[in-house]
Amino acid sequence: MDIIVKERDTFSLYSQLFSVPLDLIVDSNPDADPNVLMIGQAVKIPGYTIWQYTIQQGDTFWTIHNRFSIPIQRLRFVNPLIPPQSLRIGSIIRIPARLDNQPLIRAKEYGFNELERDIDQIKSAYPFITATEIGSSVEGRPIYMLKLGEGSRRVQWNASFHANEWITTPILMSLLNEHLWHLTNTESNSHKERFKTYSECSLYVIAMVNPDGVNLVVEGPTEENRESVVAINNGSDDFSGWKANINGVDLNDQFPAGWELEKERTKVTSPSSRDFSGNAPLDQPESQAMAELANQIPFDMMIALHTQGAEFYWGYEGLEPAISQLYASLFSELSGYRSVRYVDSHAGYKDWFILEFRKPGFTFELGKGVNPLPLNQFSEIYDAMNPVFIQSIKGIT
Ligand SMILES: [Zn+2]
């Protein structure tokens, strides 16, 4: 929400009035000098939106305050020119409303368009978050990364490496959305705990690693790719079992950590809806982007979201650091998911992350059932992962 600076306004005043931490107001307005606010200048208050409301018979600031549960000072503050004693029927006033923290699912499915829409909304609602593109997919869709906080502990969460596991994207986006809500709301009961992490941890969220594959599963083939994907899919136009990127390469089988062993194990030698590890490690733009990202940013932890199995994997060839085990028992306790040290596979992002950086890496298999998991599992998965999300940002101290 934008408000216009008036005489004697300060960021501290806004912070108190709207119950938003001062630091987050400052970080939402990088171009403003907090010590020299100019009258008439627009300032962003994170976590809020403005509704327009038309005054009806009998309305007073008091009745409006009651109806919308909004403190009267806030109402008066964003409507400075409206005399509170004499509201005119039919005139429009502004209602400063805190955004909600509800899960970001509105449609039946969640594809690339939904992701872009939610990223836009989150960026405008919480301007202290940054969005960048770490690369683009085979069909040219951006692979977005959201970043929050400036702390020295760096934590990466990613989702939708696998196309028909797209439910992981709205799960991750909703975890982030709720986190932002608590972060900006000093009245929330988990504000303190979460806000502490803002200065200690930098959180990186890549919510859709495989946008082309997700869109194939969610929206079906396009005119341009129909012929090739149907051929890869053995002539079928049912793409519900499709895990790969649009070239028929399994992006989570692409990393240089036992890549040859994985190729032997899966025995898939050509493009396929699943399990083809490519003609060489990292020969797809999406896996390349994810490898480059980890080479550039020294992540202290990485969590990859997949479905399904209600379990998670955290080891690779004994190379995982000792602290991985501590996190694993904590995560298992918090989520109720089964902790599994080793699985019989190679070349996954988690495998490579552990091999290359010797930092804790996790592959979570969310929910239980047949992929793509139905959205009616959303709440259960969400409740399992929310405490893991918070813990990962807090770290173990
Ligand atoms: Zn998967």
Side-chain angles (χ1 to χ4, degrees):
M1 145 180 110
D2 279 8
I3 56 169
I4 303 298
V5 173
K6 297 191 298 299
E7 215 179 336
R8 285 189 292 275
D9 280 5
T10 61
F11 276 180
S12 308
L13 170 73
Y14 300 153
S15 168
Q16 277 172 25
L17 189 63
F18 294 105
S19 303
V20 173
L22 179 60
D23 287 2
L24 297 181
I25 297 179
V26 172
D27 290 355
S28 297
N29 296 280
D31 298 330
D33 180 348
N35 299 313
V36 196
L37 291 183
M38 320 269 272
I39 294 170
Q41 168 186 13
V43 162
K44 292 187 187 315
I45 305 296
Y48 279 84
T49 187
I50 292 279
W51 297 338
Q52 311 269 345
Y53 175 76
T54 308
I55 300 296
Q56 284 151 39
Q57 178 127 40
D59 276 343
T60 62
F61 269 19
W62 180 254
T63 61
I64 296 166
H65 138 81
N66 275 330
R67 182 168 327 148
F68 297 104
S69 315
I70 289 170
I72 288 186
Q73 324 88 282
R74 269 183 218 169
L75 274 177
R76 296 186 59 165
F77 192 83
V78 300
N79 296 285
L81 301 177
I82 296 188
Q85 306 334 328
S86 55
L87 295 180
R88 218 161 24 85
I89 294 168
S91 67
I92 289 173
I93 67 163
R94 288 151 50 91
I95 308 279
R98 201 179 271 282
L99 291 154
D100 69 35
N101 58 358
Q102 295 308 298
L104 297 167
I105 33 170
R106 297 173 209 115
K108 254 187 97 185
E109 293 167 317
Y110 195 104
F112 182 71
N113 296 337
E114 285 74 20
L115 175 70
E116 278 201 317
R117 192 183 56 194
D118 284 343
I119 287 179
D120 279 351
Q121 280 202 3
I122 282 185
K123 264 185 355 193
S124 87
Y126 303 102
F128 52 88
I129 204 164
T130 57
T132 51
E133 298 175 15
I134 62 161
S136 46
S137 66
V138 172
E139 292 183 337
R141 292 185 179 87
I143 301 169
Y144 290 111
M145 177 171 78
L146 296 172
K147 186 194 170 209
L148 167 70
E150 291 294 339
S152 57
R153 224 177 85 75
R154 297 180 180 84
V155 175
Q156 184 210 127
W157 279 66
N158 65 64
S160 289
F161 254 95
H162 284 144
N164 65 351
E165 303 172 4
W166 56 258
I167 194 172
T168 55
T169 297
I171 289 279
L172 181 49
M173 290 296 288
S174 301
L175 290 169
L176 178 65
N177 189 51
E178 185 180 351
H179 183 58
L180 289 164
W181 187 87
H182 289 291
L183 214 54
T184 46
N185 189 347
T186 58
E187 288 163 359
S188 116
N189 53 11
S190 84
H191 169 76
K192 255 202 168 129
E193 173 191 35
R194 302 213 193 209
F195 186 64
K196 196 167 172 285
T197 68
Y198 184 71
S199 56
E200 293 170 354
C201 176
S202 296
L203 173 66
Y204 300 79
V205 170
I206 303 98
M208 195 177 284
V209 175
N210 180 10
D212 302 349
V214 166
N215 262 22
L216 176 64
V217 173
V218 168
E219 291 180 4
T222 61
E223 247 170 68
E224 290 76 30
N225 66 28
R226 179 180 302 274
E227 200 179 334
S228 88
V229 291
V230 169
I232 293 171
N233 206 30
N234 294 320
S236 165
D237 59 4
D238 174 2
F239 293 97
S240 59
W242 188 283
K243 292 171 74 178
N245 76 347
I246 210 72
N247 286 336
V249 177
D250 191 318
L251 297 174
N252 206 35
D253 264 343
Q254 270 265 289
F255 291 87
W259 182 83
E260 287 81 7
L261 294 170
E262 184 68 6
K263 212 164 170 67
E264 260 168 54
R265 189 184 74 85
T266 61
K267 301 197 168 45
V268 180
T269 54
S270 60
S272 168
S273 61
R274 53 180 296 168
D275 300 334
F276 176 54
S277 29
N279 294 316
L282 304 179
D283 69 352
Q284 299 299 307
E286 298 92 346
S287 48
Q288 261 167 37
M290 290 301 286
E292 252 166 55
L293 174 68
N295 282 324
Q296 280 166 15
I297 299 174
F299 294 112
D300 294 287
M301 177 183 283
M302 187 283 297
I303 294 181
L305 299 185
H306 291 251
T307 57
Q308 50 80 43
E311 59 188 21
F312 62 88
Y313 317 128
W314 55 275
Y316 185 67
E317 307 276 294
L319 301 171
E320 61 282 2
I323 200 163
S324 295
Q325 185 152 26
L326 285 177
Y327 276 109
S329 27
L330 207 49
F331 289 168
S332 178
E333 204 176 296
L334 291 168
S335 62
Y337 284 1
R338 196 161 69 100
S339 160
V340 180
R341 188 164 198 166
Y342 301 121
V343 278
D344 178 28
S345 71
H346 297 273
Y349 192 54
K350 176 265 295 169
D351 306 330
W352 172 77
F353 183 80
I354 292 172
L355 170 72
E356 194 68 20
F357 307 107
R358 311 292 161 108
K359 292 282 168 67
F362 299 84
T363 297
F364 269 81
E365 297 286 356
L366 311 181
K368 253 188 170 162
V370 178
N371 292 331
L373 292 183
L375 275 173
N376 65 20
Q377 288 206 17
F378 190 96
S379 321
E380 204 182 320
I381 293 173
Y382 188 84
D383 292 345
M385 292 311 290
N386 202 16
V388 175
F389 185 80
I390 301 168
Q391 187 67 54
S392 76
I393 303 170
K394 280 164 66 178
I396 295 177
T397 46

